[in-house]
Amino acid sequence: MSDLTAERLAAAHQALRSGDRERALEYWHPDVRFQSPGNHPYAGWHDGLDAFMGFIRTWQRLAGGTLRMEQIACLVNPVDGYTIDVNRCTAVRKRTGSDGTSFYEHLQMEGVDLMRWENGRVVEGRGGIFGDGTANFSSFFGPIGPNGLRSDD
Amino acid sequence: MSDLTAERLAAAHQALRSGDRERALEYWHPDVRFQSPGNHPYAGWHDGLDAFMGFIRTWQRLAGGTLRMEQIACLVNPVDGYTIDVNRCTAVRKRTGSDGTSFYEHLQMEGVDLMRWENGRVVEGRGGIFGDGTANFSSFFGPIGPNGLRSDD
Amino acid sequence: MSDLTAERLAAAHQALRSGDRERALEYWHPDVRFQSPGNHPYAGWHDGLDAFMGFIRTWQRLAGGTLRMEQIACLVNPVDGYTIDVNRCTAVRKRTGSDGTSFYEHLQMEGVDLMRWENGRVVEGRGGIFGDGTANFSSFFGPIGPNGLRSDD
Amino acid sequence: MSDLTAERLAAAHQALRSGDRERALEYWHPDVRFQSPGNHPYAGWHDGLDAFMGFIRTWQRLAGGTLRMEQIACLVNPVDGYTIDVNRCTAVRKRTGSDGTSFYEHLQMEGVDLMRWENGRVVEGRGGIFGDGTANFSSFFGPIGPNGLRSDD
């Protein structure tokens, strides 16, 4: 797997976020599974590329264009077929009747994406979170805002 | 509101759990709202009797007949129109591929149901939880089991 | 226990918050135990009046004069010896290098204090929390601020 | 930093866990800071090697010889000076009056240790956790057991 590089990892992320399934299939196995960290309606293992891309779309929808991922570091182990990128992530979810500044709406966290590759494609991925970011991440994705009102926006 | 008694509160709960909407309407206002505690897919304010009864049905479905509520104490303030019952609650949610013993499946907690009454019917209710029971309650209702697999059973 | 009234409960709280042990002993049994809700360094059962008053002092110290408790409702069951008051609580913990506005510093929650009385004094108490207030409560009492720095102020 | 290898990372961990400060100083800068994930009495940034080693000792003490770390993968970026090892961690904390099987006592999680190196020594480290392991990790380190009793063992 001599072609496993930071560049290929970056291209895999771009393809995934584009929402273009055909393009994503160049880097992600159709049976890829990804574990979203924390405990919230979208947490746990998403089995298959369609489920995984569905999770990404949900995230993009809730963040309404505010999702930012800044890479802090990138590590590649081509021998064993692993990549990890360390990211700082920010997003704002403006819930109905709220201004987007609460702990349930303003996401700011740092974490990793661990990917395992086989034959040039990711077959398994997991998100990990540093510090107390999991609390913020789960609150962001949860159904309730700071006032306890339920919302899907 | 001289008729607000522990007996009427008990009857209100029985009517609610029966799933019979007509019977429930004797004790619960059609616009009643209830706040499920914690942060999980079914947390927050459920607005209206139908939404509230839907939450109760979800709980009964996930517990598959294991839901037990034991009343520890009951307090009534008929002058201001409040009742509180203190309960011990146990339930088991057997997720696919698991045996129902994990923190995500075996619920054991103690808490209160605060109800505000107007003209003989509950218009607002809130669940409160003692100790660290909220962690158990949210894990029970969450989508993931001890292995991180997502399930709706 | 015909003398168990809302007035006596209010007096018990005042005596407790005064920090005057002798005055507190009029309302609180020396072996009283109180369970602080959530999971944080000061959570769980505090056994004995001294431990309980120590918890109250810690809360007052961290809040630096900002602790406010507003009673929403009060329920008394003199026959079985129970009282519950429903409170709205706010407090601000300004940690070093922070402005006191974060989820880890600005506490706003609603909950109950359940007290069991024997012979005119409280022998056991438990705090219960509505909604997702437990997350806020535990973050307030936890050692870390929004930046992950540890502090005891 | 051509000498940054998986072997050097493994040696750094061994030196740290040995509790021998002099030996640890070969791999860890005296001003190293490490962020323990989650929110619990030992969470957040531990500043300086002494504070960091104190956290490790606490973990070893609470686990009473049961702490196991199994490396799943190791990634090294010698150009930028980063290492990450991916670990499966298990530990049992037997609290007074409990059998060590509860969510508050039996730790099982997977995560990463991200280390930043300068001149052959770690200057900053952070623990990150996959899935819902943060809940288990914080419960393990928290003061309360399954019965809500506080303990320091």
Side-chain angles (χ1 to χ4, degrees):
Chain A
M1 206 175 303
S2 58
D3 58 347
L4 187 48
T5 60
E7 288 70 30
R8 184 157 182 84
L9 175 59
H13 277 304
Q14 284 184 343
L16 183 75
R17 290 170 196 162
S18 76
D20 182 338
R21 192 178 190 278
E22 288 310 304
R23 190 174 148 201
L25 278 169
E26 291 180 41
Y27 307 93
W28 306 85
H29 193 280
D31 295 335
V32 63
R33 57 203 301 258
F34 183 84
Q35 186 184 32
S36 170
N39 201 346
H40 53 81
Y42 310 103
W45 287 102
H46 297 273
D47 290 329
L49 182 57
D50 290 333
F52 181 26
M53 293 186 78
F55 168 65
I56 301 293
R57 273 197 305 274
T58 296
W59 195 348
Q60 290 171 333
R61 175 176 64 83
L62 296 176
T66 65
L67 182 56
R68 296 285 176 276
M69 302 282 275
E70 175 192 353
Q71 194 182 71
I72 298 172
C74 180
L75 295 90
V76 177
N77 180 335
V79 175
D80 297 324
Y82 285 103
T83 57
I84 290 186
D85 40 346
V86 183
N87 300 298
R88 179 173 297 119
C89 172
T90 57
V92 176
R93 176 178 179 180
K94 278 196 190 173
R95 298 171 189 264
T96 303
S98 193
D99 62 1
T101 63
S102 81
F103 193 72
Y104 299 86
E105 301 170 294
H106 188 246
L107 176 64
Q108 183 169 354
M109 63 168 217
E110 291 162 1
V112 299
D113 279 321
L114 165 68
M115 305 294 180
R116 188 161 62 78
W117 299 66
E118 286 181 3
N119 302 317
R121 295 199 290 190
V122 181
V123 293
E124 189 174 288
R126 308 180 75 178
I129 301 181
F130 294 118
D132 196 33
T134 303
N136 194 183
F137 191 73
S138 290
S139 296
F140 178 88
F141 279 108
I144 57 172
N147 44 19
L149 298 183
R150 293 171 58 82
S151 61
D152 190 41
D153 61 353
Chain B
M1 207 175 304
S2 58
D3 59 348
L4 186 49
T5 61
E7 289 70 31
R8 184 157 181 84
L9 174 59
H13 278 303
Q14 283 184 344
L16 182 74
R17 290 170 197 163
S18 75
D20 182 338
R21 192 178 191 277
E22 287 311 303
R23 191 175 148 202
L25 279 169
E26 292 180 41
Y27 307 93
W28 307 86
H29 193 280
D31 296 334
V32 64
R33 58 203 302 258
F34 183 84
Q35 186 185 33
S36 170
N39 200 347
H40 53 81
Y42 310 102
W45 287 102
H46 297 274
D47 291 330
L49 182 58
D50 291 333
F52 181 27
M53 293 185 77
F55 168 65
I56 300 294
R57 274 195 307 273
T58 296
W59 194 348
Q60 291 171 332
R61 175 176 65 82
L62 296 176
T66 66
L67 182 56
R68 296 286 176 275
M69 302 283 275
E70 176 193 351
Q71 193 182 72
I72 299 172
C74 179
L75 296 91
V76 177
N77 180 334
V79 175
D80 297 324
Y82 286 102
T83 57
I84 290 186
D85 39 346
V86 183
N87 300 299
R88 178 173 298 117
C89 173
T90 58
V92 176
R93 176 178 180 180
K94 277 196 189 173
R95 297 171 189 263
T96 302
S98 193
D99 63 1
T101 63
S102 81
F103 193 73
Y104 299 86
E105 300 170 294
H106 188 245
L107 176 64
Q108 184 169 353
M109 62 167 220
E110 291 162 1
V112 299
D113 279 320
L114 165 68
M115 306 293 181
R116 188 161 61 79
W117 300 65
E118 286 181 3
N119 301 316
R121 297 199 290 189
V122 181
V123 293
E124 188 174 288
R126 309 180 75 178
I129 302 181
F130 295 118
D132 196 32
T134 303
N136 194 183
F137 190 73
S138 290
S139 296
F140 178 88
F141 278 109
I144 56 171
N147 45 20
L149 297 184
R150 294 170 58 82
S151 62
D152 191 40
D153 60 353
Chain C
M1 206 175 303
S2 58
D3 59 347
L4 187 48
T5 60
E7 289 69 32
R8 185 156 181 85
L9 174 60
H13 277 304
Q14 283 184 344
L16 183 75
R17 290 170 196 165
S18 76
D20 182 337
R21 190 178 192 281
E22 287 310 304
R23 192 175 147 202
L25 279 169
E26 291 181 41
Y27 306 94
W28 306 84
H29 193 281
D31 297 333
V32 64
R33 58 202 301 260
F34 182 84
Q35 185 184 34
S36 169
N39 200 347
H40 53 81
Y42 310 102
W45 287 101
H46 297 273
D47 290 331
L49 182 57
D50 291 333
F52 181 27
M53 293 186 77
F55 168 66
I56 301 293
R57 274 196 307 274
T58 296
W59 195 350
Q60 291 171 333
R61 175 177 63 83
L62 296 177
T66 66
L67 182 55
R68 297 284 177 275
M69 302 281 275
E70 175 193 353
Q71 193 181 73
I72 299 172
C74 180
L75 296 91
V76 177
N77 180 335
V79 175
D80 297 324
Y82 285 103
T83 57
I84 289 185
D85 39 347
V86 183
N87 300 299
R88 180 173 297 120
C89 173
T90 58
V92 176
R93 178 178 179 181
K94 278 196 189 173
R95 298 171 190 263
T96 302
S98 192
D99 62 2
T101 62
S102 81
F103 192 73
Y104 299 86
E105 301 170 294
H106 188 247
L107 176 64
Q108 183 169 354
M109 62 169 221
E110 291 163 1
V112 299
D113 279 321
L114 165 68
M115 306 293 180
R116 188 162 61 78
W117 299 67
E118 287 182 3
N119 302 314
R121 295 200 291 190
V122 181
V123 294
E124 190 174 289
R126 309 180 76 179
I129 302 182
F130 294 118
D132 196 32
T134 303
N136 194 185
F137 191 72
S138 290
S139 296
F140 178 88
F141 278 109
I144 57 171
N147 45 19
L149 298 182
R150 294 171 57 82
S151 62
D152 191 41
D153 61 353
Chain D
M1 206 175 305
S2 57
D3 59 347
L4 187 48
T5 61
E7 289 70 30
R8 185 157 182 84
L9 174 59
H13 278 304
Q14 284 184 344
L16 183 75
R17 291 169 196 164
S18 75
D20 182 336
R21 190 179 193 280
E22 287 310 304
R23 193 175 146 201
L25 279 169
E26 291 180 42
Y27 306 93
W28 306 84
H29 194 280
D31 296 335
V32 64
R33 57 203 300 260
F34 182 84
Q35 186 185 33
S36 169
N39 200 347
H40 53 81
Y42 310 102
W45 287 102
H46 297 274
D47 291 330
L49 182 57
D50 291 333
F52 181 27
M53 293 186 79
F55 168 65
I56 301 293
R57 274 196 305 275
T58 297
W59 195 349
Q60 291 171 333
R61 175 176 64 82
L62 296 176
T66 65
L67 181 57
R68 298 284 176 274
M69 301 281 276
E70 176 193 350
Q71 194 181 71
I72 299 172
C74 180
L75 295 91
V76 177
N77 179 335
V79 175
D80 297 324
Y82 285 103
T83 57
I84 290 185
D85 39 347
V86 183
N87 300 299
R88 179 174 296 118
C89 173
T90 59
V92 176
R93 176 177 179 180
K94 278 196 189 173
R95 298 171 189 263
T96 302
S98 193
D99 62 3
T101 63
S102 80
F103 192 73
Y104 299 87
E105 300 170 293
H106 188 246
L107 176 64
Q108 183 169 354
M109 62 168 219
E110 291 163 359
V112 299
D113 279 321
L114 165 68
M115 305 293 179
R116 188 161 60 79
W117 300 67
E118 287 182 3
N119 302 315
R121 296 199 291 189
V122 180
V123 294
E124 189 173 287
R126 310 180 75 178
I129 301 182
F130 294 118
D132 196 33
T134 302
N136 194 185
F137 191 74
S138 290
S139 296
F140 177 88
F141 278 109
I144 57 171
N147 44 20
L149 298 183
R150 294 171 57 84
S151 62
D152 191 40
D153 61 353

